Amino acid sequence: MPSAGILVIGNEILSGKITDTNSPYLCRELRGLGIDVARILTIPDELAVIANEVRALSDGYDHVFTSGGIGPTHDDLTMEGVAQAFGRAVAKSGTIAARIERAQGHAPNASQLKMAMIPKGAQLIDAGDLWFPVVVVENVHIFPGIPELLRKKFESIRGRFRGVPVLLKRVFVKRRESDIAEILNALLGEFPELMLGSYPKIGEEAFHVLLTLESRDAGYLQRALDALLRELPADAIHRVE
């Protein structure tokens, strides 16, 4: 299946001043599209670090998504970092500069023109009703750090990404994890390709463990679920979704 890496860029994330919500959003959306997110990195606003990590992710995965660092200020270094990763220069995009001017009704100042400086040869993809397009270099998709904008931009290009979606079943169990561990181990022995998760819930009165069963094969998933339900005591099952 297609793979993806996510690069979150920003000192504000590493310092804890801002909580990253973009990578969880991308993980959920990409998984629903059948894209396996294999790695998430959070790095500082340092040009060499950005360039090195972009290149490594680009070489390692089918798709790369960056978040943050594309505004008008001194610490917005993502465009330059992506350019450096591929040995390119940055150049002013006349298309983006014209869009900035149309959006605000007058010529952009120097800081605003910084947002029109993109890696040479980058592809521009219209982002729905947003004036600023999605910038793509090789297999790297460059997104803003503002969650609302990132989500709108991703929605506008989600049709470009397709794999086989992962199907999910949830079983809520009224037993401790240690009570059902042997059943889970045996299930994986019988269904080795099953993606099985076991998540204890503290303070939840109705159930103690949430089990998740995942597969891209609907028949395989159903057989694994049926096998699990046969082995669990009937009074241990709170509900199945």
Side-chain angles (χ1 to χ4, degrees):
M1 291 298 104
S3 61
I6 298 172
L7 189 62
V8 181
I9 301 164
N11 294 336
E12 68 278 8
I13 304 296
L14 291 170
S15 68
K17 289 186 291 186
I18 300 294
T19 299
D20 169 39
T21 60
N22 289 333
S23 59
Y25 165 79
L26 288 171
C27 284
R28 290 190 298 269
E29 295 300 311
L30 291 168
R31 190 170 185 81
L33 293 168
I35 310 296
D36 289 330
V37 175
R39 195 171 192 192
I40 302 172
L41 293 176
T42 303
I43 62 173
D45 299 303
E46 296 178 14
L47 184 58
V49 176
I50 296 170
N52 290 340
E53 297 299 350
V54 165
R55 186 72 212 201
L57 290 176
S58 176
D59 289 343
Y61 306 108
D62 297 306
H63 306 292
V64 179
F65 302 89
T66 72
S67 165
I70 61 171
T73 59
H74 68 284
D75 57 350
D76 290 314
L77 301 172
T78 298
M79 290 296 184
E80 190 175 351
V82 173
Q84 191 175 110
F86 297 105
R88 304 188 184 196
V90 292
K92 186 177 81 171
S93 166
T95 298
I96 294 178
R99 291 182 182 206
I100 294 173
E101 183 166 352
R102 284 199 303 272
Q104 63 183 7
H106 57 81
N109 60 31
S111 294
Q112 292 161 344
L113 279 177
K114 182 177 185 294
M115 294 188 291
M117 301 297 292
I118 64 174
K120 196 169 183 178
Q123 179 184 7
L124 302 181
I125 304 173
D126 277 323
D129 60 350
L130 299 177
W131 63 267
F132 198 93
V134 178
V135 179
V136 182
V137 182
E138 304 282 344
N139 61 343
V140 179
H141 300 76
I142 304 170
F143 286 98
I146 299 171
E148 294 80 5
L149 296 181
L150 180 142
R151 294 181 185 200
K152 286 182 178 180
K153 285 195 171 192
F154 183 81
E155 283 296 322
S156 73
I157 65 168
R158 62 182 294 121
R160 295 166 58 90
F161 310 107
R162 280 290 180 267
V164 180
V166 176
L167 306 174
L168 169 68
K169 296 289 186 182
R170 296 184 181 91
V171 181
F172 299 81
V173 182
K174 297 185 289 185
R175 292 288 190 276
R176 303 296 178 188
E177 191 176 43
S178 57
D179 296 330
I180 61 172
E182 291 186 7
I183 294 174
L184 302 182
N185 292 336
L187 182 69
L188 284 176
E190 185 178 355
F191 297 92
E193 301 303 316
L194 180 70
M195 292 176 277
L196 177 64
S198 178
Y199 308 103
K201 298 295 180 179
I202 297 173
E204 177 64 54
E205 295 183 2
F207 64 96
H208 297 303
V209 179
L210 167 61
L211 301 177
T212 60
L213 291 75
E214 296 175 283
S215 174
R216 288 184 164 91
D217 183 326
Y220 189 85
L221 178 60
Q222 188 60 51
R223 291 193 297 276
L225 176 63
D226 292 342
L228 174 64
L229 297 180
R230 284 195 301 269
E231 294 300 320
L232 287 173
D235 64 349
I237 301 170
H238 174 59
R239 74 176 187 271
V240 178
E241 294 179 348

